[in-house]
Amino acid sequence: MRLTPTPSAKETSGLGINRRQFLKRSGVATGGLAAASFMAAPMMKRAEAKTEVSDAPVETKRTICSHCSVGCGVYAEVQEGVWTKQEPAFDHPFNRGAHCAKGASLREHGHSDRRLKYPMKLEGGKWKKLSWEQAIEEVGDKVLELTKEHGPDSIYWLGSAKFSNEQAYLMRKFAALFGTNNVDHQARICHSTTVAGVANTWGYGAMTNSFNDMHNCRSILFIGSNPSEAHPVAMQHILLAKERSNAEIIVVDPRFTRTAAKANKYVRLRPGTDVAYIWGLLWHIFENGWEDEAYIQQRVYGMDEVRAEVAKFPPAEVERITGVAEADMLDVARRLSQNRPGSVVWCMGGTQHTTGNNNTRAYCILELALGNIGKSGGGANIFRGHDNVQGATDLGLMSHSLPGYYGLSEGAWKHWSKVWNVDFEWIQNRYDQTEYHDGKPMHTNGITVSRWVDGVLENPDRISQRTALKAMFYWGHAVNSQTRGPEMKKAMAKLDMMVVVDPYPTIAAVMHDRTDGVYLLPAATQFETTGSVTNSSRSLQWRDQVIEPMFESKPDHEIMYLLSRKLGFADELFRNIKVEGSVPVVEDITREFNAGMWTVGYTAQSPERLKAHQKNWHTFDFETLKARGGPANGDFYGLPWPCWGTPEMGHPGSPILYDTSKTVAEGGGNFRARYGVEHNGTNILAEGSWSKGAEIEDGYPEFTDKLLKQLGWWDDLTAEEKQAAEGKNWKTDLSGGIQRVCIKHGCMPYGNAKARALVWTFPDPIPKHREPLYTARRDLVKDYPTWPDSESIYRLPTLYASIQENDVSAKYPITLTSGRLVEYEGGGEETRSIPWLAELQQEMFVEINPALANDQGIKDGDMVWVEGAEGGRVKVKALVTERVGPDVVFMPFHFGGHYEGESLESRYPEGTVPYVLGESANTATTYGYDPVTLMQETKVTLCRVSLA
């Protein structure tokens, strides 16, 4: 939306705003929009000079958009090393010629003059240019010094969802061989509660179907999801469902969003009440007998306990909690029940809560009750926010697991040690051997990205490691996407060293008050390297390198090599990976994770198969994603995981998880047997349900060498496979023989179990509604309190009840929530540095309802202070709108470069200031973390709003 005043007729020119006006309003120095000088001219005028067109040969590269996780294909035209033109790929099976505003700006990202040009360090308050040799030497020396004095856990390696799969994998391996689990990336603060909640329900924590399969939905419930802005190209698939399948589109959200404008039904929900809302729907579904009894009996464990909890949420109580009337609840329940198969879609509106895991599990239970999982047109379709946040999660760039969700047990370490061809004892000795509250660091979850601030500021005696954090690597991360800005600023001041590795300086380079100890290392974009990326629906795609690294930037994997060489473990890190000069061979990294990631079926997507898919986009069907002829005939596009066995087996990938209508060899499956065969004496394996063609026509456990022998299938292995499989299971047999034989007999390697509605390993085995830590509804706190404080979660004490019991609602009576805009992404540093996106959205703002604005004496366009319940405040422009209710305000989280009313523009290195600066919404957000994953709370806190 446009927030700038409408220019007078005299000022109006061309696109509605001239260069002088734009520079003035965005606070950019003269000359800052040289790349956008087109804005000074009218859209149509007499041609006065011939446009210069290069006649150099055109080379067309195939790449993938680096913004959200839809995975749109792009044709990039390159002439003499310069990216001169881009087109959305009209033959690509995901976007089919569509682009959003961000996707259309990719070329400018590659060639942006606002990027970091060379390594720099802050010295005496001034930025100083360094050579790469100097930078690696100085940073490496400081890391070695801090490690010697404080141990390896004193260094934090904060990675990125913008890495390729290969880079994400390599960084997790880097941290492992360095000797720490203090490594993480953005998934922690966007979908960690999805991954944990969904995986603990039915096996894998990922989108079950595909964007394309949503064409077949008869109903779609969007709850905490706004794809019109966050995933615009996904909307073409959603609107096809509406047009072709007459799908009922239902949007449940505190705001009337652009997605709500396309819906058949919109429901306004009080922020933080998702579980109560879902239980309210199930109350009507159970009351009317609309559940799928046969499906539940065969494939779901724990639904009786769910029924008992749902019985506590009759319509009156649901309305009391959520604000949604009984008639609206019944209407939505009826629409979902009468229009099956149906899908539920959620994003950060559902995940970024202290109750995030309860929310995601409740959504899953709704789909299980309706029998919608494992079916075309059904599913839990979780839209991911960054282009490779799914892949970076799968590849283990997290503080609680090695690649492939193997965890941190001794068995997991020995598995990966064997894959890496590195001695297990050597790796073990890299770690601090002391036993702390959580255990030995090698086998305990590291500090999360959501809590690195507390890892710096907390009393070291209360941290479950040797000392507090002393140095931070912000490697492709926007710190303004994290909560509690004022505490973050304090933490930055306390660190011994900050290292920013990124194509742009990011907010981390300017929000601190330091005068030294900050390094900026220019990373190349994903268009200046090659590798694979995994989209939201689990499909892997290969990117061509479009251009050579700009300025003095280097690809992330090259920087990892240079650092590991300085730190003394490059030989171990690259034992299986060829290094050409100082650049690791990307395909060798792919092959290495292919060799180890049996758990999620990342083993058959070889570089050769992925490149064959990339070169033949046109052969894949837009509806089914299956190749019709051509080199990849019969494959599903991108070989969506699990893609079982070795590349030679030729598994086509799994387009729909848990789909019993297909054989396993054709991409079918069933729920995973991940939690044993019984619970409290009750069978939890499937009953009377199995994937098509399975020789075991009932539930069965996961496969091991012993089970193969018991079934008489052991001799189906070759002699070499028998040697590798002895004493192993389907996850640790590096030959792939166990998986091959299972699939030969029509069975899933991971077994055949029921989904768990009851997760006995979680704080709330059945999801419960719990009031947010900061809530204005004090009348509900007694009935729905939060959890007790915890002594240690992911190495840190974590507060709940002690915050909630402090009533601040009189001073801070308004609920504050946050979200995305279509023009920007993430922390916004990249997209706010692109002129055509900056022109579209020039100012940070807060949405405020007319009634609340009138009560506060605020008019549209006024500058206001939004002060959070912990005292952080931001100065922003008021956008008075009915989109939000009278007791809620909304701010986007893409802005930065201002802090509590003061501009930080002068702190940027010369030539790197984004075109648009603004306050970070997260300066005003507050404490709050999910007890399973430490997801941050950004969607509901309290604030007050006043005229500035």
Side-chain angles (χ1 to χ4, degrees), residues 101-122:
K102 293 186 290 288
S105 72
L106 294 179
R107 192 195 70 85
E108 178 63 18
H109 176 37
H111 283 297
S112 175
D113 64 355
R114 297 303 164 112
R115 287 173 50 178
L116 288 172
K117 312 300 190 301
Y118 37 74
M120 308 178 82
K121 73 172 178 179
L122 192 62

Side-chain angles (χ1 to χ4, degrees), residues 902-914:
E902 298 296 326
S903 174
L904 307 178
E905 180 179 348
S906 63
R907 299 186 181 187
Y908 281 89
E910 184 179 358
T912 66
V913 183

Side-chain angles (χ1 to χ4, degrees), residues 583-602:
V583 182
V585 174
V586 169
E587 289 84 352
D588 282 357
I589 306 175
T590 316
R591 294 187 186 96
E592 185 174 276
F593 68 65
N594 287 158
M597 289 181 62
W598 303 94
T599 44
V600 285
Y602 255 83

Side-chain angles (χ1 to χ4, degrees), residues 554 557-559 561-562 565 570 574 577-585:
K554 292 182 181 292
H557 51 287
E558 181 179 1
I559 301 172
Y561 170 75
L562 295 172
R565 188 175 65 184
F574 295 96
I577 301 163
K578 184 179 179 181
V579 180
E580 295 179 342
S582 60
V583 182
V585 174

